[in-house]
Amino acid sequence: MDGSSMASTKDTAGESSDTASTSYQPFPEMSAEQEFFLYELETTDSGSIGLVLRYYQALKVLEELEHTHLALVEKYRFTQILAKTMSPVRNEIKAKAYSEFKDFLENVKKVACRIGRHASRCTAEQHSFGVSEAERARRLQQEAKQKVVDVEIAVSADGRLLRKNTSNGTAPILSQDSLEDDEKVSAQDLIDFTPVHRCCQIFNVLGAKEEFDVYYRQQRKDQCDLVIEPPSKMNSLKHYVDYLDEIIGFFVVEDHIIITEPTLVTSSHKDQLWESALKKIVHTMNSRFGGCPDVEMMLRMKKVILLFALTMKSYGYGIGPLYSLLQNFRDQYNEILMSEYCAQFERDLEKDNYAPINVENEEQFRAIIKEFPFYKRSMEQVQSTANLQEPFPRKFPYSRFVVSAYSKAKLYLQGCLKFMEHLQLTHSEMDDTVRRYANVLLSRWSGSLKSFVERKLSLVQLVQITVNIGYLEKSCESLGVYITKLTSGNELNVSMTAHQLSLTERVFRDARSEVEQQIEVCIRDKVDAFIELAQYDWELPASSGHASDYISDLINYLSTTFLSFTNLPSVLARHVCMQTCKHLSSRLSDVLLSPDVKAISMGALEQFSLDVMQCEMFTARCPVAGFDHNTLPMTFAHLRQLLELVMSNDWTSYLAEYGQENGTYVRVNATTATQLLEKMIEFEKKSAGFFGINKGDRKKLLDTIIRQLRALSAQ
């Protein structure tokens, strides 16, 4: 029995060897199980054939004993004992196969990170990842030159091969040993997949293929759960890179197995593993890295995640959630970037000198124009009188703050675009996104401006800020064109879209409104301060013949102030001028009709009239361009008519024309006239002249006028 068994085994082994060296041909005397085993043997790599044959020979001996020889002597008791020992032998073979498979899993765990690193490097080279356009062009040119240059091979004195170029002399040929180990290995080089194939073949012969399939998938699922679990310490970018490389390595191995053993790993099983891993990766990145406050670190992490996504995509895995993760990080990145530029904007507000930029020569002039291409066209126009350009030094209407803000806005837009590269966004989507971020940035800058001007700033600062805001508004259109050039690859034929137009119309509106209000308040406060200096002697017997000192100083201040409004928008300048004149007229009326003033002499009234006349002369000169010559003087018309009425005692005309649109004193209110007349009467009571010859008639006349005025006031 032993001899025939050995001969049979030897023959079978010989047949297997012959069959393995040629194409597979079935033999009639073989069972289907034997034929399948020989087919598996043919497709197995040569390094594992010896061990497979050993297991196969053992299984063949068991098969012949059980089905051929023991069947002939089954009536003997020892055959029953021998039959019982066959099952443990099969179990031992199965255990050996399981043991080798577990060793395979341990090996995968050890080298998965290296496999992932190699796969990532290959993807980076394929996509020129992290290489600028200039560097990519340089490499292409270098490769083209290398193909053209004539190369001669020579042997050096130490035996090395040398490459001799006709143009560049001699250079040593680098061998593969000079490269890093990870750059020249793949998953097949780092891992021996023989245990997997062996288990598939052995369990197939044993008729337990499904058992091994279930075991394999469960073990790989458990291993996947371990791989995707992040380490407790992830303090640097390298920790994240190693974490993702190990995941890549795991799935590269799985991808190789599904190709070589398609029945062992199904697509649904692979997709389940990847879906589970993807959820864990997204959660890990959000929880561990989501609060990063550093924009540079965010950019590096974006590249790491993007390279991971491209690598997994090259193996056929879906990466949609990874792009969603990057978009979330994009919003976080832009929020951090925006906060930095808002802080810089506020610092520039604090340190600006709020004075127009002066340039001494053409070089300085061109430097400003290059940074901020908005300036007075008159600077470049030929002067009609001298037929020469405006001489130096020249002055720009805006301050350094505007140039700095415009430059920082462009840098911010470039920073926004950095994160959006390679995120599978169209030019239109990138353009819309950058414009949206630009709108938010400018809105926040407007809020910072509004908060800044709410402080007690000087009028010079407020006027310059208003001018600056005007040029910031003008720059919005240029920023829109700049965005289009950035997102369309710096093409020349670009046009504005409707998105950016809203910036010019609305974004700085609130800040401008606040500045204009502050300018009005500042000038009103200054007018009030001058009025407080007024020291009228209300019992003055005669006027001084000229305006009071305080009113002369006030007029000089207003003249200088309105002259500085040259660069302000004409509408704003006229509005502020009109409101200031109205306020001055109102304050003078308050001084004249103050309850603290009980009596007023004719001399004091004449002196007050001289001061009002000085104001009327100032308004008649139209200190701000654009007014009709009668518009500003009308702000003092009610005061002038009141003074003329009281000083001329023309009460008959006033009472007769009261209420008529064309009356001489149409702007005089009856109540106001009553108050001033009572103050005049009170002064006359104090004077000796009131008790003269006509005191009875005058007293009756004044009493009658007072009664009539009060009657008109009561209407």
Side-chain angles (χ1 to χ4, degrees):
M1 180 181 67
D2 294 340
S4 62
S5 176
M6 291 176 62
S8 175
T9 304
K10 183 177 180 180
D11 294 339
T12 306
E15 292 170 1
S16 300
S17 177
D18 294 338
T19 305
S21 62
T22 61
S23 61
Y24 169 64
Q25 296 179 356
F27 289 87
E29 65 272 13
M30 288 186 180
S31 64
E33 185 181 72
Q34 291 172 330
E35 292 179 14
F36 183 81
F37 181 79
L38 288 177
Y39 172 76
E40 292 288 335
L41 188 62
E42 285 184 341
T43 58
T44 305
D45 59 281
S46 59
S48 63
I49 290 178
L51 198 53
V52 173
L53 284 174
R54 188 170 73 243
Y55 285 139
Y56 176 75
Q57 290 171 357
L59 292 173
K60 182 60 179 176
V61 169
L62 292 177
E63 181 183 352
E64 289 191 14
L65 283 174
E66 184 176 10
H67 298 290
T68 304
H69 301 290
L70 292 183
L72 299 175
V73 291
E74 61 180 355
K75 60 182 179 179
Y76 297 101
R77 188 172 58 182
F78 78 91
T79 60
Q80 299 175 2
I81 298 174
L82 186 60
K84 292 180 180 179
T85 62
M86 293 181 183
S87 180
V89 174
R90 288 192 177 93
N91 291 336
E92 183 179 355
I93 293 175
K94 187 185 297 186
K96 288 285 186 181
Y98 274 136
S99 177
E100 292 182 2
F101 177 70
K102 290 179 181 178
D103 293 339
F104 165 79
L105 294 178
E106 288 294 329
N107 192 27
V108 168
K109 175 64 177 174
K110 293 177 182 178
V111 300
C113 189
R114 292 179 63 191
I115 295 174
R117 190 180 302 118
H118 172 73
S120 297
R121 185 177 290 111
C122 292
T123 302
E125 292 176 355
Q126 180 182 358
H127 293 272
S128 298
F129 195 81
V131 179
S132 64
E133 292 294 335
E135 178 65 17
R136 187 180 294 111
R138 188 190 67 80
R139 291 183 180 181
L140 291 175
Q141 292 177 358
Q142 186 176 7
E143 291 178 3
K145 289 180 179 179
Q146 289 176 352
K147 293 179 180 179
V148 174
V149 172
D150 294 332
V151 178
E152 296 180 3
I153 303 298
V155 180
S156 65
D158 58 359
R160 290 186 303 159
L161 291 178
L162 298 178
R163 180 178 58 200
K164 185 181 294 184
N165 296 338
T166 57
S167 57
N168 298 330
T170 303
I173 297 178
L174 296 178
S175 66
Q176 290 294 324
D177 294 337
S178 64
L179 302 176
E180 294 184 6
D181 291 340
D182 285 352
E183 292 186 356
K184 57 181 181 178
V185 296
S186 61
Q188 295 90 329
D189 299 319
L190 291 174
I191 299 178
D192 181 12
F193 289 91
T194 302
V196 178
H197 303 312
R198 183 181 301 137
C199 286
C200 289
Q201 295 159 356
I202 290 173
F203 278 84
N204 187 59
V205 172
L206 291 173
K209 185 66 166 60
E210 292 184 1
E211 175 187 340
F212 178 69
D213 290 350
V214 173
Y215 179 80
Y216 171 86
R217 293 169 190 172
Q218 184 60 44
Q219 290 297 313
R220 289 292 282 169
K221 181 181 182 303
D222 294 342
Q223 191 173 42
C224 180
D225 293 339
L226 291 175
V227 169
I228 64 177
E229 188 65 30
S232 58
K233 182 181 179 181
M234 297 184 75
N235 301 330
S236 67
L237 194 65
K238 184 179 184 303
H239 294 148
Y240 288 94
V241 172
D242 292 343
Y243 169 67
L244 295 177
D245 281 346
E246 189 171 1
I247 295 175
I248 293 174
F250 174 89
F251 283 98
V252 168
V253 170
E254 198 71 5
D255 186 75
H256 178 78
I257 292 176
I258 198 174
I259 294 174
T260 56
E261 296 289 347
T263 60
L264 182 61
V265 181
T266 62
S267 297
S268 60
H269 170 71
K270 184 185 73 169
D271 293 341
Q272 288 176 2
L273 291 179
W274 174 240
E275 183 179 356
S276 174
L278 203 53
K279 290 180 180 178
K280 188 65 177 180
I281 293 168
V282 172
H283 174 74
T284 299
M285 290 299 172
N286 282 324
S287 60
R288 298 290 186 91
F289 193 78
C292 177
D294 186 358
V295 291
E296 291 299 327
M297 184 62 72
M298 292 287 291
L299 278 176
R300 296 192 189 101
M301 179 56 74
K302 171 246 178 177
K303 293 179 180 179
V304 170
I305 297 175
L306 184 59
L307 181 58
F308 172 77
L310 293 175
T311 303
M312 297 308 298
K313 182 181 179 181
S314 67
Y315 286 93
Y317 294 95
I319 57 174
L322 293 177
Y323 280 105
S324 299
L325 173 67
L326 287 174
Q327 289 176 3
N328 292 337
F329 279 2
R330 178 197 64 192
D331 294 336
Q332 178 183 339
Y333 164 84
N334 280 285
E335 184 63 32
I336 299 171
L337 190 67
M338 191 177 299
S339 299
E340 291 183 359
Y341 278 94
C342 285
Q344 293 180 17
F345 182 85
E346 292 175 357
R347 287 194 295 269
D348 290 342
L349 273 177
E350 294 286 350
K351 68 181 183 181
D352 190 44
N353 60 0
Y354 295 100
I357 300 175
N358 289 312
V359 291
E360 301 295 333
N361 51 52
E362 185 73 18
E363 182 180 357
Q364 294 179 1
F365 178 81
R366 294 298 173 188
I368 297 297
I369 296 302
K370 184 177 180 180
E371 289 187 72
F372 188 73
F374 299 92
Y375 59 100
K376 279 187 174 181
R377 295 191 180 276
S378 59
M379 290 183 174
E380 290 292 279
Q381 291 176 347
V382 177
Q383 295 183 357
S384 58
T385 56
N387 197 29
L388 295 172
Q389 288 186 341
E390 182 179 346
F392 289 99
R394 297 181 186 176
K395 181 181 292 185
F396 289 92
Y398 45 82
S399 67
R400 289 279 177 184
F401 164 76
V402 176
V403 180
S404 175
Y406 183 76
S407 300
K408 286 181 172 57
K410 293 172 68 175
L411 291 175
Y412 170 77
L413 296 176
Q414 295 173 12
C416 287
L417 202 61
K418 281 184 180 180
F419 202 93
M420 283 185 279
E421 293 176 346
H422 308 295
L423 290 189
Q424 294 185 336
L425 298 174
T426 64
H427 289 316
S428 176
E429 290 173 334
M430 292 174 65
D431 189 86
D432 290 342
T433 304
V434 174
R435 289 181 187 279
R436 177 164 56 86
Y437 288 133
N439 282 326
V440 176
L441 176 71
L442 295 179
S443 296
R444 292 189 182 181
W445 281 4
S446 177
S448 298
L449 269 172
K450 183 179 178 181
S451 300
F452 182 75
V453 300
E454 287 176 351
R455 309 177 188 178
K456 291 298 181 180
L457 302 179
S458 67
L459 182 61
V460 174
Q461 289 177 308
L462 292 171
V463 171
Q464 188 60 58
I465 288 175
T466 305
V467 175
N468 290 348
I469 289 177
Y471 280 92
L472 287 177
E473 289 175 335
K474 292 179 182 179
S475 70
C476 290
E477 182 177 356
S478 177
L479 287 176
V481 175
Y482 183 72
I483 290 173
T484 306
K485 288 182 178 180
L486 283 179
T487 56
S488 60
N490 290 321
E491 295 178 4
L492 295 178
N493 296 326
V494 294
S495 59
M496 283 291 296
T497 64
H499 297 276
Q500 200 70 12
L501 297 178
S502 62
L503 298 180
T504 305
E505 298 172 0
R506 296 195 300 268
V507 71
F508 290 106
R509 182 179 58 187
D510 292 342
R512 173 179 288 281
S513 176
E514 183 64 31
V515 176
E516 292 173 357
Q517 292 179 16
Q518 291 297 325
I519 289 176
E520 290 184 34
V521 170
C522 188
I523 295 180
R524 284 202 304 267
D525 291 344
K526 197 67 176 179
V527 169
D528 292 342
F530 277 105
I531 295 296
E532 293 296 328
L533 298 176
Q535 298 291 334
Y536 283 105
D537 181 4
W538 296 110
E539 297 183 0
L540 189 69
S543 67
S544 62
H546 56 80
S548 303
D549 292 339
Y550 88 92
I551 207 71
S552 299
D553 294 340
L554 174 57
I555 296 302
N556 290 334
Y557 165 77
L558 292 178
S559 299
T560 304
T561 299
F562 292 148
L563 187 63
S564 68
F565 284 8
T566 305
N567 294 321
L568 285 181
S570 57
V571 175
L572 173 61
R574 290 196 298 270
H575 172 77
V576 173
C577 181
M578 175 63 74
Q579 296 303 316
T580 301
C581 292
K582 287 182 178 180
H583 180 69
L584 175 57
S585 175
S586 175
R587 286 306 313 274
L588 289 175
S589 297
D590 294 341
V591 170
L592 182 64
L593 302 175
S594 172
D596 297 334
V597 180
K598 304 299 183 182
I600 299 178
S601 67
M602 183 58 69
L605 200 61
E606 290 174 351
Q607 181 63 47
F608 189 83
S609 177
L610 289 175
D611 293 344
V612 173
M613 186 182 298
Q614 189 74 12
C615 295
E616 290 172 325
M617 293 171 61
F618 168 72
T619 57
R621 293 196 299 267
C622 290
V624 174
F627 281 112
D628 184 81
H629 68 281
N630 290 324
T631 301
L632 278 180
M634 291 298 294
T635 56
F636 293 92
H638 71 286
L639 263 179
R640 173 53 55 199
Q641 291 181 11
L642 176 62
L643 293 173
E644 291 292 337
L645 172 62
V646 176
M647 292 170 64
S648 63
N649 286 317
D650 193 9
W651 298 106
T652 303
S653 299
Y654 177 75
L655 294 173
E657 298 174 354
Y658 188 81
Q660 297 180 10
E661 294 182 359
N662 297 324
T664 306
Y665 308 102
V666 67
R667 294 182 178 275
V668 178
N669 182 272
T671 303
T672 303
T674 303
Q675 293 175 355
L676 184 57
L677 181 58
E678 288 176 342
K679 295 177 186 292
M680 298 291 293
I681 294 174
E682 186 64 27
F683 177 77
E684 289 189 13
K685 287 181 179 180
K686 294 181 178 181
S687 64
F690 186 79
F691 300 98
I693 300 174
N694 298 323
K695 79 170 185 177
D697 295 338
R698 180 165 175 76
K699 183 176 183 303
K700 290 179 181 180
L701 175 62
L702 293 176
D703 289 343
T704 301
I705 294 173
I706 291 294
R707 284 197 304 271
Q708 291 177 339
L709 290 175
R710 288 174 178 171
L712 293 175
S713 300
Q715 291 181 359

